[in-house]
Amino acid sequence: MARTIGSHGPTTLEAIRKAGVRLIFEHGYEAMSLRQLAAEVGIQAGSLYNHISTKQDLLFDLVQDHINDLLRELDLALEGKADPGEKLRAFVAFHVTYHMTRKREVFIANSELRSLDAKNYDAVVALRGAYEQRLAQILTDGVADGAFEVVDIQVATFAILALLTGLCTWYRPGGRLTRDAIIAAHEKLVLSGVAPRAAIGQASHGSDSRRAAVAGS
């Protein structure tokens, strides 16, 4: 039997939210019942309504808070960064780190978007758009400065986000690579993907020259 937590407002609400994240992650929003949620927290099902209005409101609050956290913490990570390359590296490091440590929230925000009603869906999509716009602006500024070469900003934005978020499907703590190594690998993938072709050509020529020097020594 679940431990009874009681009806202390903030404490119980936090327990409900944590249990909601775990149950939705494990079973899906549609399969999770409020009775199951109440049992997990250790309160009567009817007592849930002292803390949440509906199951839909709980899902919306969880997803909305997740994206608001994402935006707030990203802005802190970008604070003081002026150079587009530095900003893009900071974006990659932040996004990868956040998605390593908040996998459940990320999964719910992506997979349960379909479960939101129309009004809540529109609000979440607007927040997601604000996050995407942060990256799009970094790419736009980099192109204007000549630091990046991007054929289409929107396509590049979606492609980079898909690449970075993809680690949620395979990352496991304690694996072969350290967190820093995983971040570095993603930084290299993203930065090389937007580097001007002239810079790539120069780097390739330098590598060829070094190989030729070694071969001739």
Side-chain angles (χ1 to χ4, degrees):
M1 178 180 292
R3 179 175 64 87
T4 301
I5 292 176
S7 58
H8 302 290
T11 302
T12 303
L13 178 58
E14 183 61 22
I16 291 169
R17 289 169 61 88
K18 287 182 178 179
V21 167
R22 188 179 69 77
L23 292 172
I24 294 171
F25 177 77
E26 293 178 356
H27 305 289
Y29 171 77
E30 294 297 338
M32 183 196 75
S33 69
L34 291 182
R35 185 176 297 278
Q36 181 184 24
L37 177 60
E40 183 73 16
V41 176
I43 61 177
Q44 296 295 317
S47 298
L48 281 175
Y49 297 106
N50 294 326
H51 308 281
I52 62 173
S53 299
T54 64
K55 180 179 167 183
Q56 172 69 200
D57 284 345
L58 173 63
L59 176 63
F60 175 61
D61 286 345
L62 292 174
V63 175
Q64 179 179 238
D65 288 353
H66 156 70
I67 302 179
N68 279 329
D69 285 347
L70 197 64
L71 285 165
R72 182 176 61 255
E73 293 179 28
L74 172 61
D75 288 342
L76 289 174
L78 295 177
E79 201 170 82
K81 309 288 190 303
D83 175 74
E86 187 183 14
K87 281 186 176 181
L88 187 54
R89 282 190 292 273
F91 181 94
V92 171
F94 164 75
H95 191 94
V96 169
T97 301
Y98 186 99
H99 285 64
M100 284 178 175
T101 56
R102 302 282 292 276
K103 288 179 65 175
R104 288 180 173 179
E105 290 86 346
V106 170
F107 177 83
I108 291 170
N110 290 330
S111 67
E112 297 297 351
L113 192 62
R114 63 192 175 186
S115 299
L116 293 169
D117 63 26
K119 179 181 178 182
N120 290 339
Y121 176 90
D122 289 344
V124 167
V125 167
L127 285 174
R128 284 164 61 110
Y131 186 78
E132 292 161 1
Q133 184 56 37
R134 300 289 202 281
L135 175 56
Q137 190 61 55
I138 293 171
L139 296 176
T140 299
D141 292 343
V143 170
D145 287 355
F148 304 151
E149 186 172 319
V150 177
V151 174
D152 187 286
I153 296 295
Q154 187 175 47
V155 170
T157 297
F158 291 156
I160 290 171
L161 287 173
L163 168 68
L164 299 180
T165 306
L167 69 83
C168 289
T169 64
W170 57 262
Y171 171 72
R172 297 292 182 274
R176 179 175 60 87
L177 296 175
T178 65
R179 181 176 297 183
D180 287 344
I182 293 172
I183 292 171
H186 282 82
E187 285 181 357
K188 186 172 183 179
L189 283 168
V190 172
L191 269 294
S192 64
V194 299
R197 280 172 289 182
I200 295 173
Q202 290 171 4
S204 176
H205 178 72
S207 298
D208 291 342
S209 298
R210 286 192 293 273
R211 283 195 293 269
V214 169
S217 60

